[in-house]
């Protein structure tokens, strides 16, 4: 028998280049921070409306279940917020409603599609950074790709739709 050593063909995951380059494709990153801020306000209003509807549903359900469903009040806002991001960013349009209105989309850094789990993780990291240390969001002003730290940790980009 011969001693053959097989080497993997192709590059490893860490060796993959970024799919979106701010030097060769600057139009993808133009005014992204401003658009993200407006999109956040639009999405916050939508999430607030959905949360109010969910609170009403839990209240009615609580009456029917003699108060047992009222235990769900504590998880309504997190469930609505994470679910909204998971279904919209992780959905076919790869953007929340506010991001679509502003002409943005959310791909993975290597060009792939964001899964609902990563979208929920991204939203969780955002809310954590917003509550714990809000100035960390200013990182986007110093990043070439206009990414915040929660974007980097989740492996996503926010870019203009082509």
């Amino acid at each position: 028998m011969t001693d053959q050593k097989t080497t993997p063909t192709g590059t490893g995951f860490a060796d993959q280049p970024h799919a979106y380059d701010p030097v060769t494709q600057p139009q993808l990153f133009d005014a992204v921070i401003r658009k993200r801020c407006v999109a956040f306000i639009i999405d916050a209003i939508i999430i607030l409306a959905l949360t109010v509807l969910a609170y009403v549903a839990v209240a009615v359900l609580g009456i029917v279940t003699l108060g047992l469903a009222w235990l769900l009040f504590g998880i309504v806002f997190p469930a609505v917020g994470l679910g909204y991001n998971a279904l919209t960013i992780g959905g076919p349009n790869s953007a929340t409603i506010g991001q679509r209105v502003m002409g943005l989309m959310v791909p993975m850094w290597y060009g792939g599609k964001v899964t609902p789990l990563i979208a929920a993780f991204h939203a969780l990291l955002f809310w954590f950074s917003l509550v714990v240390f809000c100035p960390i969001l200013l990182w986007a002003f110093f990043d070439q790709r206009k990414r915040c730290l929660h974007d980097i940790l989740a492996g996503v980009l926010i870019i203009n739709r082509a």
Side-chain angles (χ1 to χ4, degrees):
M1 277 187 104
T2 61
D3 186 21
Q4 294 179 343
K5 292 186 179 180
T6 59
T7 57
T9 59
T11 59
F13 184 73
D15 298 328
Q16 279 187 312
H18 281 269
Y20 306 99
D21 185 17
V23 174
T24 60
Q25 301 168 314
Q27 73 279 7
L28 293 178
F29 302 96
D30 288 340
V32 165
I33 296 173
R34 185 184 78 240
K35 290 179 180 181
R36 283 182 80 165
C37 291
V38 175
F40 170 74
I41 293 169
I42 294 168
D43 291 331
I45 292 168
I46 293 170
I47 290 172
L48 179 65
L50 293 173
T51 302
V52 167
L53 290 174
Y55 278 142
V56 169
V58 169
V60 169
L61 192 61
I63 293 170
V64 172
T65 61
L66 303 175
L68 187 61
W70 290 336
L71 295 172
L72 298 174
F73 273 123
I75 64 166
V76 167
F77 177 70
V80 169
L82 292 177
Y84 175 78
N85 279 287
L87 294 175
T88 55
I89 293 176
N93 293 315
S94 296
T96 63
I97 295 170
Q99 290 168 343
R100 279 186 274 164
V101 167
M102 296 308 300
L104 299 172
M105 66 179 290
V106 185
M108 297 297 292
W109 65 272
Y110 56 85
K113 188 166 172 9
V114 177
T115 64
L117 184 61
I118 291 175
F121 178 66
H122 180 250
L124 190 65
L125 287 174
F126 168 71
W127 288 104
F128 183 74
S129 64
L130 192 65
V131 170
V132 172
F133 191 63
C134 187
I136 202 73
L137 297 174
L138 298 176
W139 181 271
F141 289 107
F142 305 103
D143 188 68
Q144 266 190 323
R145 292 180 175 84
K146 309 298 183 214
R147 298 194 317 171
C148 295
L149 286 179
H150 63 276
D151 300 331
I152 295 169
L153 291 174
V156 301
L157 286 169
I158 312 293
I159 60 172
N160 291 313
R161 284 195 184 275

